[in-house]
Amino acid sequence: RVTLDGVEAPRLAAALGAVPSVGFSPADVALVAGGPGERRRYLDVLLSLTVPGYLAALQRYRGALERRNAVLRAGVRAGARGSRGTVAAEAAVWEPVLVETGGVLAAARGAFVARHAGRLADTCAAIGEDAPVTMEYAGGDADYAAAFAQQREAELRRGVTLVGPHRDDLALRLGGRELRAFGSNGQQRSAAIALRLVELAAMTAALGAPPLLLLDDPFAELDTGRAARVLVLLDAAPAAQLLVVVPRGEEVPTAWTRLERRTMRAGVVS
């Protein structure tokens, strides 16, 4: 549950953006090394916070997608007893909403990537990558209406919607090779940090003020050289407030010894 000023929010989405912040953690490597769903979520959360109308379109899209998939699954379960024509007609009811809102999502994602691909490349270079890092929106056919007609038989057989931005990806490459498959752990982690710095810049521009910067053990598994360069970037990044969490006090970088300190033991902060 989420409360805002002591009042429980009716939906989780109502609290989105209440505390504008960008967080780094060791788990962020999944943004690069994980599946397409991790990168779609990165785009969806960021664009919901920075692009007017995106969250509403995303909610409408997900609702229609869930209902269309339910129709297709029911058709597969019915098998020979069901009418493919009836299932196709019921599934088609949700297609206009998916075409409309899916176009909004794909356009916003594509615009974000076009606007920030250069920033990601420059940030990765500053961290120490010699080969160029590229970011592309790997979207499907933008003509979703035509794609639905083309994929209809396959969808009726498989019981799932095969068309739309819920199947797209954010393609990240290093020197032309897929970072997810060919990047080292350090390269993947560096690219994930760069994505968060892009997020920080995008939120600052959209909101007109910098968000909070939350760093959970930000230098985990980075070699000394990369960690030093990341520290320079993070220390120079705009932030309304900076919160750093490290497992041991001596791991606080010298540049941040100016920060006030708190210690947590057994869940108690002192």
Side-chain angles (χ1 to χ4, degrees):
R1 299 191 305 173
V2 175
T3 60
L4 297 175
D5 297 327
V7 179
E8 184 175 347
R11 293 182 302 173
L12 188 61
L16 189 64
V19 182
S21 61
V22 173
F24 296 79
S25 81
D28 280 350
V29 71
L31 290 175
V32 178
E38 298 285 349
R39 291 177 288 281
R40 286 195 298 268
R41 184 178 185 277
Y42 166 82
L43 289 173
D44 285 341
V45 172
L46 175 54
L47 296 176
S48 292
L49 291 169
T50 58
V51 176
Y54 188 92
L55 178 58
L58 180 64
Q59 291 172 326
R60 288 183 63 208
Y61 182 86
R62 287 179 172 173
L65 179 65
E66 181 179 349
R67 289 163 177 79
R68 188 174 190 271
N69 281 340
V71 169
L72 293 172
R73 287 195 301 270
V76 170
R77 288 196 297 269
R81 302 190 308 275
S83 168
R84 291 174 71 86
T86 299
V87 174
E90 292 179 357
V93 169
W94 301 104
E95 290 169 14
V97 177
L98 293 175
V99 170
E100 175 195 351
T101 56
V104 171
L105 303 184
R109 292 174 180 179
F112 168 82
V113 170
R115 187 179 306 116
H116 293 286
R119 183 186 296 275
L120 180 72
D122 292 344
T123 304
C124 287
I127 292 175
E129 295 299 348
D130 295 326
V133 174
T134 60
M135 173 172 65
E136 298 176 359
Y137 180 50
D141 193 335
D143 187 353
Y144 292 133
F148 277 127
Q150 182 180 6
Q151 295 288 342
R152 196 171 309 282
E153 286 302 315
E155 291 181 334
L156 291 172
R157 289 195 307 271
R158 296 175 60 178
V160 67
T161 299
L162 300 174
V163 174
H166 64 286
R167 299 180 64 84
D168 294 346
D169 196 2
L170 184 64
L172 301 170
R173 296 184 177 88
L174 174 64
R177 306 179 76 187
E178 188 179 12
L179 255 172
R180 177 187 177 190
F182 297 101
S184 68
N185 196 335
Q187 289 170 329
Q188 291 174 348
R189 192 168 298 281
S190 296
I193 291 173
L195 281 173
R196 292 301 190 194
L197 285 169
V198 166
E199 178 182 354
L200 180 68
M203 287 187 64
T204 301
L207 301 177
L212 276 68
L213 186 55
L214 312 175
L215 307 175
D216 180 3
D217 199 10
F219 307 111
E221 299 184 32
L222 289 178
D223 61 53
T224 304
R226 285 179 187 268
R229 290 187 287 271
V230 168
L231 174 60
V232 171
L233 291 173
L234 292 177
D235 199 44
Q241 198 171 5
L242 176 64
L243 179 64
V244 187
V245 180
V246 292
R248 289 167 293 277
E250 60 270 20
E251 294 184 13
V252 176
T254 303
W256 289 334
T257 54
R258 68 183 186 275
L259 301 178
E260 295 182 11
R261 293 200 184 194
R262 301 290 184 271
T263 301
M264 176 178 285
R265 290 188 178 87
V268 178
V269 178
S270 60

